[in-house]
Amino acid sequence: MNPVKIAVLVSGGGTNLQALIDAEKSGVIKSGKITLVVSSSPTAYALERAKNAGIETAVADKHAYANRKDFEEALIASLEEKGIELIVLAGFMYILSPDFIARYKDRMINVHPSLIPSFCGDGFYGLHVHEAALAYGVKVTGATVHFVNEITDGGKIIMQKAVEIHEGDTPETLQKRVMQEAEWLILPAAVEKVSKDILTEE
Ligand code: GAR
């Protein structure tokens, strides 16, 4: 069976993308193949990571389009051109429309840097998530990989991993620990699981 064709959608540094690239190389991901990396920003370092790994890239910059519909149509065209079967949102800082989400139902997953349902939903992204966890004073946080549905961070949970908060943590130190101890492990594992499930369905 051919591996599932995966597109990874990114906006920034792309450390989760790197974890996926490394996992494919090491054989942790074997049921899927990263076929396309799409960035919402032309300057995202994630694009360099994709190029270094020999993966095709595309830029879907919303500022380059008159409205959200045109932007998403261009995004869909680049996904369809490559025959993408699974979309992975890895630090993609753009809320997709309900129409887009419905089109990729059960075929789009996201990594979020907290234990959902804590510190998630609209406005909770990147460092803000860790600022909120520290402000609340929780002693344990973590990361979640979930299917994407019409509710922000509200889709079915695929995997979660807990991470301890340390005395003196800053949003930056916590973000790094959550990435190292949770995101970079559960995202590749979840991608393999979902890809394998898609292959078994076929
Ligand atoms: C990651 O921590 C990811 O979980 C988070 O943005 C960061 C992207 O880092 N995503 C969200 O907050 C989505 N709500 P990366 O570009 O280095 O992978």
Side-chain angles (χ1 to χ4, degrees):
M1 261 185 293
N2 290 329
V4 170
K5 289 185 181 163
I6 299 169
V8 185
L9 273 53
V10 295
S11 296
T15 64
N16 278 288
L17 167 67
Q18 190 65 53
L20 293 171
I21 292 170
D22 295 345
E24 197 182 303
K25 266 195 201 129
S26 70
V28 169
I29 297 176
K30 45 187 184 294
S31 306
K33 185 172 170 44
I34 306 167
T35 309
L36 181 68
V37 169
V38 184
S39 173
S40 63
S41 150
T43 57
Y45 183 66
L47 287 170
E48 297 305 313
R49 296 182 189 271
K51 284 174 194 156
N52 291 340
I55 301 166
E56 266 196 56
T57 61
V59 173
D61 183 356
K62 69 170 190 278
H63 306 292
Y65 298 91
N67 53 50
R68 168 149 131 171
K69 193 164 174 285
D70 289 359
F71 162 72
E72 289 192 350
E73 273 171 11
L75 178 56
I76 291 168
S78 62
L79 296 168
E80 291 202 333
E81 194 197 321
K82 293 276 164 256
I84 296 304
E85 301 165 276
L86 175 66
I87 298 174
V88 179
L89 306 182
F92 187 63
M93 300 301 174
Y94 177 85
I95 302 286
L96 293 155
S97 72
D99 282 351
F100 187 99
I101 291 166
R103 189 183 185 108
Y104 289 98
K105 186 174 184 297
D106 298 328
R107 291 289 182 273
M108 179 154 56
I109 70 175
N110 177 50
V111 61
H112 181 77
S114 75
L115 293 174
I116 290 174
S118 288
F119 313 119
C120 63
D122 292 332
F124 287 95
Y125 59 90
L127 271 182
H128 299 305
V129 179
H130 305 293
E131 283 163 5
L134 291 174
Y136 197 97
V138 291
K139 301 297 176 202
V140 175
T141 183
T144 304
V145 181
H146 62 92
F147 284 105
V148 176
N149 71 4
E150 64 291 347
I151 301 159
T152 307
D153 300 322
K156 189 169 182 276
I157 290 174
I158 304 162
M159 276 184 201
Q160 288 188 304
K161 192 166 186 291
V163 174
E164 274 186 24
I165 291 178
H166 294 175
E167 197 66 41
D169 259 337
T170 63
E172 289 79 10
T173 61
L174 185 57
Q175 179 181 53
K176 190 155 186 220
R177 186 164 342 98
V178 168
M179 284 175 157
Q180 280 171 337
E181 293 183 10
E183 296 186 51
W184 300 342
L185 303 175
I186 63 170
L187 184 60
V191 166
E192 172 55 23
K193 183 183 186 304
V194 173
S195 300
K196 203 170 167 188
D197 289 348
I198 292 174
L199 287 184
T200 337
E201 276 169 21
E202 281 171 358

